[in-house]
Amino acid sequence: MDAGRCARADRVGVVRPGPWLPVQVLGRLAGAGAPRAVVPRWIVRLVASLALAIVVQSIVTGQTGNMEVGLLSAPGVKPQVRGAVYRRQSGSLQPGVLVLHGSGGLRDEYYVTASELSRSGFVVLLVDLFAETGSVDAGSSKRLEAWSTWQATVRNALDCLRKQAGVDPGRIGIVGYSRGGWLAFTTAGNAPDVRAIATFYPVGSQPTDWQPAGPAILVLSGQLDRYADPALVARLDAGLRAAGRSV
């Protein structure tokens, strides 16, 4: 993709978190374990920032000031990249993080996550995966038809993120929720230019052909989760180990 296919967003997004008690997410974290590995400091900071976002969503009340979602890709690019870019002013390059929402679309909690990540020193692109396809029910047959469009949207969004002002293109990560988590695996699970993927309760059925090399992967899921089957995490673990990846 050439440089003309993505427009830079020069806005700084600031949101006021609204009331949201993430009982569902916290329940999914119960009993979850993370593999031990030596990872770069910025990836550790990414995980810490996600934890902070969960706490903020739990205890802060007030009105939500969601940043307006706009067109980030150049005219004529398909699929379009619509989203919002969050950053804080900095004199140095910062890691970039792409945030992928779940099947419910862009809800308040994703804006809060993007805002908290940017306050922690990341340039964040929150993308609207449904800009081209519209909302697709998780159980619908149209989900499989839309999957390739969502994957292309993620690839285009990653390209846009790398081109944003202040982004270190060598430090790119993805945060995915539910369907967005599985989409991250199937799109960038082996991508050499994505350094880390952190997911909350990933849900999906599309297979991933894991390769020996790829981004560091963190999966947060709970043993008692009735929606995101923890057996999926076990299969992910087995697949990564079979490919020779460190878990």
Side-chain angles (χ1 to χ4, degrees):
M1 183 179 294
D2 58 61
R5 291 168 66 86
C6 178
R8 286 193 175 186
D10 295 319
R11 299 166 294 170
V12 178
V14 178
V15 302
R16 291 181 298 155
W20 182 68
L21 183 62
V23 175
Q24 192 175 27
V25 170
L26 293 177
R28 286 167 176 166
L29 293 180
R36 295 184 178 181
V38 178
V39 297
R41 183 174 300 178
W42 74 271
I43 296 178
V44 175
R45 185 154 49 90
L46 170 61
V47 175
S49 299
L50 290 172
L52 176 61
I54 292 174
V55 173
V56 170
Q57 292 167 25
S58 302
I59 65 176
V60 177
T61 59
Q63 296 299 314
T64 303
N66 294 346
M67 187 175 178
E68 181 181 355
V69 172
L71 180 65
L72 299 177
S73 54
V77 172
K78 294 293 182 179
Q80 294 181 336
V81 178
R82 300 190 68 86
V85 175
Y86 293 73
R87 66 165 63 86
R88 68 175 185 176
Q89 301 298 338
S90 174
S92 59
L93 294 179
Q94 300 171 306
V97 176
L98 179 66
V99 176
L100 305 179
H101 61 75
S103 58
L106 283 177
R107 300 195 301 262
D108 289 350
E109 58 262 38
Y110 303 119
Y111 293 92
V112 174
T113 296
S115 180
E116 290 303 317
L117 284 171
S118 70
R119 293 188 182 109
S120 298
F122 298 90
V123 178
V124 184
L125 194 162
L126 175 62
V127 62
D128 181 4
L129 294 170
F130 296 159
E132 289 277 345
T133 65
S135 179
V136 178
D137 183 74
S140 171
S141 60
K142 293 183 178 180
R143 176 169 55 89
L144 294 178
E145 299 174 10
W147 197 263
S148 60
T149 300
W150 295 334
Q151 288 183 307
T153 299
V154 171
R155 288 190 287 268
N156 288 352
L158 284 169
D159 188 73
C160 281
L161 177 60
R162 295 184 191 100
K163 292 180 173 67
Q164 292 302 312
V167 170
D168 181 350
R171 293 188 293 168
I172 298 294
I174 301 176
V175 173
Y177 291 81
S178 190
R179 182 190 296 171
W182 203 267
L183 188 61
F185 293 145
T186 61
T187 306
N190 300 310
D193 51 356
V194 173
R195 297 283 302 281
I197 296 177
T199 65
F200 289 82
Y201 45 94
V203 177
S205 58
Q206 288 71 16
T208 298
D209 182 18
W210 296 109
Q211 301 300 315
I217 291 177
L218 172 67
V219 179
L220 300 175
S221 182
Q223 292 291 332
L224 301 181
D225 194 327
R226 297 182 179 179
Y227 177 71
D229 186 354
L232 286 174
V233 179
R235 290 199 290 272
L236 281 171
D237 179 82
L240 287 165
R241 289 180 185 275
R245 297 275 281 272
S246 297
V247 293

